[in-house]
Amino acid sequence: MQALLVIDRLFRGESVTLPVPDGLEKEIQAGSMVLVNLRNGRETLYPGYVLELSPEKSDGDAGPFIADLLYGGEPVLRRQQLRLARWMADYYLTMPLDTVIASLPAAIRTTVHDVVELNSFELKPSEQKTVSTPLRRAILQLLSEEKRLTVRQLQKRLGRKQLFGTLSELEKGGYIILKKKFATTRPKQKTAYRAAAAPPGNPEELLVSAPRQLEAFRALAALGDQDGFAETLGFSPALLNELVKKGIAEKTAVDIRSNFRNTYSETPKKPQRLTDAQSGALDILGQAVEQESFGAFLLYGVTGSGKTLIYIELLKKVIAGGKTAIVLVPEISLTPQTAGRFRHHFHDDITILHSAMSDQEKYDAWHSLRSGRTKIALGARSTIFAPLDNVGAIIVDEEHDGAYKQDRNPRYHARDTAVMRAMLEGAVCVLGSATPSFESYHNAKNGKYRMIRLPERIDGASMPLVTLISMREAPKASASISDRLFREIRKRIEKNEQVILLQNRRGFAGSVFCLDCGHTPECPHCNIPLVYHSTGMQLRCHYCGHTELFTEKCGKCGSGSLFYKSSGTERIEEELKTLFPEENILRMDIDTTSAKGSHGRILKAFHEKKSRILLGTQMVAKGLDFPDVTLVGVLMADIGLNLPDFRAAERMYSLLTQVSGRAGRAAIPGEVYLQVYKSESEVFRALLEGNYEKFFEREMTLRTMLRYPPAARLVKFEFSSTEEHHAEEAALSFKKQLEAHLPPDKAVLLGPAPAGIARLNGRYRYQLLAKILAGKLSPAFIHHQIDALHALYRTAKLSVTIDVDPQNLM
């Protein structure tokens, strides 16, 4: 028997055929995890994964050999997962090992944490007799002396040959317990504050002459017996420490754990009655599930049309039919409301996966799904690899979202991978969005997907009224907020309604510009402007993390005449506090949400109306449903339209539509104000018309003419090196080979040219774009050419990355 397998750190990730030892033939299966030895005298064992088995006999080989079998041969990858991994390697032009590893959590791929314990048992005959061998006797003897040993300790004492296979046999016979124990590191801690249980005197009177401290005390008092962090409360640690010195507040160190379940909760809504449109959509999807065959559906519903309720009711049908399901959301930490509602309906039948989980939590979750204890896996993009059998439905919520694209190898798109897995499983795939990606909408128009429309909001709610404010002429209440928007915010506060403000840029300001010499500080590693952050008085690169101290003087000419381009969330927060001094402003950006669970805490405070103004970056546009939000303001609505990316208009339309949809989701109508500098854009025309279809048709006319997706497929090749000429030479050499390989009527090549950000992390970057009009690129040809380039430019530290269906051309 032979096994086709991929081996970690060997053969550059390509598949290789090895003979199966006679002693392992009965246990080994496709999907099994094995350990491979190189026959070179070293004891190093390399993890490998069996892709397929064939009965052909091998003549014997002096090369690598399968030394052991993990998990008793029980596959770590199901048959459909293997097929999916091989499809991904072919489609995304990467190695099979990369896609296999992406399919498994790190906790499953490691053997470091395996622990062996002697089982408590009585020696008596059993139906399945475990044959005694010297190795088995030696293992049991050691365990009887020491009770518990790690596999690593056993390897050192007894050798490595077939140790795992022997342990599996002893486990099956009931002699030992084999399990994983992950090292528990001390949890990270963060300083938190709460109001003192017994403050001296009356804090309101003590702080009457310190209004800012009084405001902080009231915010702490509103938390009750809960802890609050400085950035979440909106006050500096120095100010809160003053309250601690006065005995009015208490300070403590809080463990920051990955407890997603408790970060956000709300009172469950009363059971909703489905609208006619929802009922019709559910009937179509339910019938498709009953047919037990593949079908892809685009659920195109306006914001607030009740897509989540359809998902929940569909999943109930799937579970009732004895099947399992996968639900993808763009970013689990940003959608605690959605996850909480699924948890409310499915309780212990659902496993919520997220990046903040510990290795032990990930391992337990994987086993819970694989064993069938839980029937639904919900999480971000990697959840598409959940080890579920008998999948009946795969749901991709907000399928347009860029977070579904993986930004490192393998650069897969979870939405497209979900459609392929559904096809392999014979399952229904539902792609939901109020602003579908052009690729999905194009597929629906062409009949590849079936489109289901939800044209109206539920509960009689109306779509919000959208108004443009031209900032070039409009009077301003502050540097970033127009007088019109200021008055509208004040109106909502007077009525005790809530407001969401979006600024699509974090930090205090954008770049710093010297009015005397024109100098703008740039990152020495990336050649892009540094961003000013008032916290710590820093200039920071948002790409590589480089920081410099801000001295309030030009680094080139020493002038103090500096201009802060644009405004970030920090600066706008200060403006809002000046305009609305009595209000508690909640800020939600990457800086205030760096601690685990902070998204949920901020949203919970907003849900409980401890604040009536929520300011944030794109985070506030995703999946929020607050009935008292009647106003949404976008402070720089046209930022990003001038990016050199053909998807810029599509992204902007989607973002503005999504954030607009946060307003007026209940009985009170909502309004949206977009502050713009260039109101002539087609994006704003389409938003005012409220017509996605027209926007799609206008944009598609341009894309078809220019042969951009979805009118063609795009593949981006990026060549980077510490020396610019090496990156450019390698790109030109690759282009010549590709031109000879591709017929001119089937592909168009653009470049090579410097990337949008030409230097990043000290490396120069050149890009070559291939527009594939028909057919596909040959993975074998591409890998051969890139291997040749790596060999040629080995000393130049050349790096080549391939991105199929790229979402970012910068």
Side-chain angles (χ1 to χ4, degrees):
M1 180 182 287
Q2 294 185 10
L4 180 71
L5 67 163
V6 288
I7 308 167
D8 199 3
R9 292 174 289 160
L10 295 180
F11 305 107
R12 295 173 306 201
E14 294 180 356
S15 55
V16 61
T17 300
L18 296 181
V20 177
D22 293 341
L24 301 181
E25 286 188 348
K26 290 183 180 179
E27 289 83 13
I28 197 167
Q29 301 179 55
S32 291
M33 184 175 174
V34 301
L35 293 176
V36 176
N37 195 300
L38 290 179
R39 288 190 203 270
N40 57 6
R42 297 180 185 175
E43 291 192 0
T44 304
L45 296 174
Y46 299 88
Y49 306 90
V50 179
L51 301 180
E52 62 182 58
L53 296 166
S54 67
E56 298 175 19
K57 285 288 182 184
S58 173
D59 297 332
D61 193 345
F65 67 96
I66 298 173
D68 211 342
L69 190 60
L70 298 178
Y71 301 106
E74 187 71 19
V76 294
L77 288 168
R78 308 292 200 196
R79 183 171 63 92
Q80 306 299 15
Q81 288 177 286
L82 283 173
R83 293 176 64 192
L84 184 67
R86 298 181 78 171
W87 170 82
M88 288 171 61
D90 182 71
Y91 184 84
Y92 291 105
L93 301 174
T94 189
M95 294 301 175
L97 177 65
D98 298 330
T99 57
V100 166
I101 285 178
S103 305
L104 290 168
I108 303 301
R109 303 194 309 268
T110 181
T111 61
V112 172
H113 305 293
D114 287 13
V115 175
V116 188
E117 295 177 356
L118 199 61
N119 199 1
S120 299
F121 66 95
E122 294 180 11
L123 287 173
K124 57 183 180 182
S126 62
E127 291 182 9
Q128 183 177 358
K129 185 174 176 63
T130 303
V131 178
S132 177
T133 66
L135 179 56
R136 291 172 187 173
R137 288 196 297 272
I139 291 170
L140 293 175
Q141 179 64 33
L142 283 172
L143 288 173
S144 67
E145 295 169 1
E146 303 192 37
K147 306 304 179 188
R148 175 179 174 178
L149 291 166
T150 66
V151 169
R152 180 173 285 178
Q153 289 170 325
L154 286 171
Q155 286 174 337
K156 287 181 179 178
R157 301 187 196 188
L158 303 175
R160 300 182 174 218
K161 189 173 182 181
Q162 295 195 4
L163 178 63
F164 275 96
T166 303
L167 290 172
S168 295
E169 285 297 317
L170 289 172
E171 185 182 33
K172 288 176 184 175
Y175 292 88
I176 65 168
I177 298 170
L178 183 62
K179 56 188 175 183
K180 287 185 184 288
K181 287 284 186 182
F182 295 93
T184 54
T185 56
R186 183 177 176 84
K188 292 181 180 179
Q189 292 191 319
K190 189 168 184 177
T191 301
Y193 301 85
R194 66 169 63 185
N202 186 337
E204 296 276 348
E205 294 177 1
L206 288 173
L207 300 175
V208 68
S209 60
R212 186 72 174 144
Q213 291 183 27
L214 179 59
E215 185 183 351
F217 165 72
R218 288 171 175 166
L220 289 173
L223 293 176
D225 58 357
Q226 294 183 337
D227 297 310
F229 299 106
E231 67 271 21
T232 308
L233 292 164
F235 301 98
S236 69
L239 185 145
L240 293 169
N241 286 333
E242 285 298 316
L243 294 180
V244 174
K245 289 178 185 176
K246 294 176 180 179
I248 294 170
E250 297 172 351
K251 181 165 67 171
T252 185
V254 175
D255 289 350
I256 305 300
R257 297 183 182 273
S258 60
N259 190 359
F260 174 82
R261 187 182 301 198
N262 296 326
T263 58
Y264 181 86
S265 61
E266 62 182 10
T267 304
K269 293 183 176 180
K270 293 179 180 179
Q272 294 171 286
R273 183 176 174 274
L274 294 174
T275 64
D276 290 343
Q278 286 176 311
S279 296
L282 186 60
D283 287 344
I284 293 170
L285 296 173
Q287 289 170 14
V289 167
E290 289 172 5
Q291 290 172 5
E292 298 189 354
S293 60
F294 167 69
F297 298 83
L298 176 62
L299 185 60
Y300 169 33
V302 299
T303 55
S305 58
K307 292 185 287 293
T308 301
L309 185 57
I310 292 175
Y311 301 152
I312 289 169
E313 294 302 318
L314 177 65
L315 290 176
K316 289 178 181 177
K317 291 178 180 288
V318 171
I319 301 304
K323 290 184 172 289
T324 62
I326 297 171
V327 182
L328 301 186
V329 293
E331 295 170 78
I332 189 68
S333 61
L334 301 186
T335 51
Q337 280 187 316
T338 302
R341 288 170 188 173
F342 279 96
R343 171 81 73 187
H344 170 70
H345 282 274
F346 298 105
H347 308 291
D348 292 335
D349 268 340
I350 191 166
T351 292
I352 296 179
L353 306 166
H354 55 103
S355 59
M357 295 169 77
S358 68
D359 279 346
Q360 186 69 59
E361 288 171 322
K362 289 176 182 176
Y363 182 79
D364 293 342
W366 186 86
H367 267 286
S368 179
L369 292 164
R370 187 170 180 269
S371 66
R373 289 198 303 271
T374 48
K375 308 294 184 185
I376 302 170
L378 183 147
R381 57 178 176 258
S382 62
T383 304
I384 192 56
F385 306 119
L388 288 167
D389 271 337
N390 199 21
V391 176
I394 300 177
I395 294 169
V396 186
D397 190 30
E398 308 294 1
E399 62 84 28
H400 64 276
D401 200 288
Y404 285 124
K405 177 69 172 177
Q406 172 80 309
D407 59 359
R408 60 185 180 276
N409 201 38
R411 290 173 168 78
Y412 67 92
H413 200 299
R415 176 198 62 220
D416 301 333
T417 307
V419 174
M420 179 53 65
R421 178 160 186 184
M423 184 182 295
L424 295 173
E425 298 273 4
V428 168
C429 187
V430 183
L431 311 178
S433 179
T435 53
S437 63
F438 275 31
E439 287 82 357
S440 294
Y441 195 74
H442 179 72
N443 285 335
K445 283 178 69 73
N446 289 347
K448 190 174 180 180
Y449 302 161
R450 181 174 176 182
M451 191 181 306
I452 303 174
R453 295 177 184 267
L454 300 174
E456 296 177 351
R457 287 185 155 185
I458 58 174
D459 298 330
S462 57
M463 294 300 291
L465 178 68
V466 179
T467 302
L468 296 185
I469 299 174
S470 176
M471 293 297 283
R472 285 182 292 188
E473 299 89 21
K476 296 178 182 175
S478 69
S480 308
I481 299 171
S482 65
D483 185 64
R484 174 77 182 274
L485 182 56
F486 163 70
R487 286 186 280 109
E488 295 296 336
I489 295 172
R490 189 172 59 190
K491 256 192 239 177
R492 271 44 178 212
I493 290 173
E494 289 170 355
K495 292 193 270 186
N496 197 29
E497 296 169 0
Q498 289 181 295
V499 177
I500 291 178
L501 299 176
L502 167 68
Q503 168 63 336
N504 194 17
R505 176 173 296 190
R506 65 187 174 94
F508 186 88
S511 53
V512 177
F513 177 77
C514 177
L515 296 172
D516 287 343
C517 72
H519 174 66
T520 295
E522 290 186 344
C523 174
H525 310 294
C526 304
N527 290 7
I528 61 171
L530 294 168
V531 175
Y532 172 54
H533 285 253
S534 63
T535 304
M537 294 288 283
Q538 288 181 336
L539 295 174
R540 192 182 305 167
C541 176
H542 283 191
Y543 286 89
C544 73
H546 171 80
T547 59
E548 295 179 8
L549 186 65
F550 179 63
T551 61
E552 298 188 2
K553 288 187 178 181
C554 175
K556 187 174 182 181
C557 71
S559 169
S561 301
L562 303 178
F563 175 73
Y564 304 92
K565 289 184 182 178
S566 76
S567 296
T569 46
E570 276 186 79
R571 183 166 183 164
I572 293 168
E573 182 184 21
E574 290 193 5
E575 293 177 28
L576 288 168
K577 287 176 179 176
T578 302
L579 295 174
F580 304 100
E582 300 300 318
E583 286 300 307
N584 173 31
I585 312 298
L586 286 175
R587 176 161 64 94
M588 193 172 178
D589 58 22
I590 198 167
D591 297 318
T592 64
T593 57
S594 55
K596 293 174 184 176
S598 49
H599 296 92
R601 284 189 289 271
I602 293 172
L603 294 179
K604 184 178 181 184
F606 194 61
H607 173 69
E608 294 173 352
K609 296 193 79 168
K610 292 176 180 175
S611 170
R612 290 178 289 190
I613 300 177
L614 174 62
L615 164 70
T617 54
Q618 291 187 23
M619 299 178 184
V620 301
K622 299 187 179 187
L624 304 185
D625 184 2
F626 296 106
D628 288 337
V629 172
T630 58
L631 174 66
V632 166
V634 184
L635 304 182
M636 294 185 68
D638 45 2
I639 192 171
L641 278 177
N642 294 324
L643 287 175
D645 191 324
F646 70 92
R647 284 194 176 91
E650 179 187 355
R651 285 201 192 99
M652 186 57 61
Y653 180 89
S654 176
L655 174 65
L656 296 179
T657 300
Q658 293 291 335
V659 75
S660 297
R662 305 311 109 203
R665 297 176 73 92
I668 309 171
E671 290 187 74
V672 180
Y673 288 86
L674 309 178
Q675 294 187 166
V676 299
Y677 288 87
K678 297 178 181 178
S679 56
E680 306 82 24
S681 169
E682 287 287 339
V683 171
F684 301 125
R685 180 178 158 194
L687 283 167
L688 293 174
E689 292 174 349
N691 196 322
Y692 171 87
E693 290 83 354
K694 282 187 179 177
F695 175 67
F696 173 84
E697 295 297 342
R698 286 197 289 258
E699 280 290 305
M700 274 303 297
T701 301
L702 288 172
R703 293 200 193 180
T704 302
M705 183 172 62
L706 298 173
R707 296 175 172 177
Y708 276 116
R713 284 184 57 227
L714 202 62
V715 182
K716 180 177 75 172
F717 299 93
E718 182 176 294
F719 306 82
S720 73
S721 173
T722 52
E723 299 293 332
E724 184 175 10
H725 69 279
H726 286 144
E728 185 178 17
E729 286 172 6
L732 286 167
S733 174
F734 183 78
K735 181 181 181 180
K736 287 181 183 177
Q737 299 298 326
L738 203 54
E739 281 178 327
H741 176 71
L742 290 171
D745 61 329
K746 292 189 176 181
V748 176
L749 298 181
L750 299 180
I757 301 171
R759 187 167 174 249
L760 199 59
N761 290 321
R763 297 181 65 86
Y764 293 91
R765 306 160 67 227
Y766 273 74
Q767 289 181 352
L768 176 69
L769 290 179
K771 295 178 181 178
I772 310 300
L773 309 178
K776 55 175 284 189
L777 295 175
S778 163
F781 172 82
I782 297 297
H783 294 323
H784 175 74
Q785 296 302 326
I786 289 175
D787 287 345
L789 280 179
H790 279 138
L792 187 62
Y793 290 93
R794 184 174 289 112
T795 58
K797 296 181 180 178
L798 178 72
S799 173
V800 183
T801 60
I802 307 172
D803 194 354
V804 177
D805 302 331
Q807 299 297 300
N808 183 356
L809 299 183
M810 297 297 288

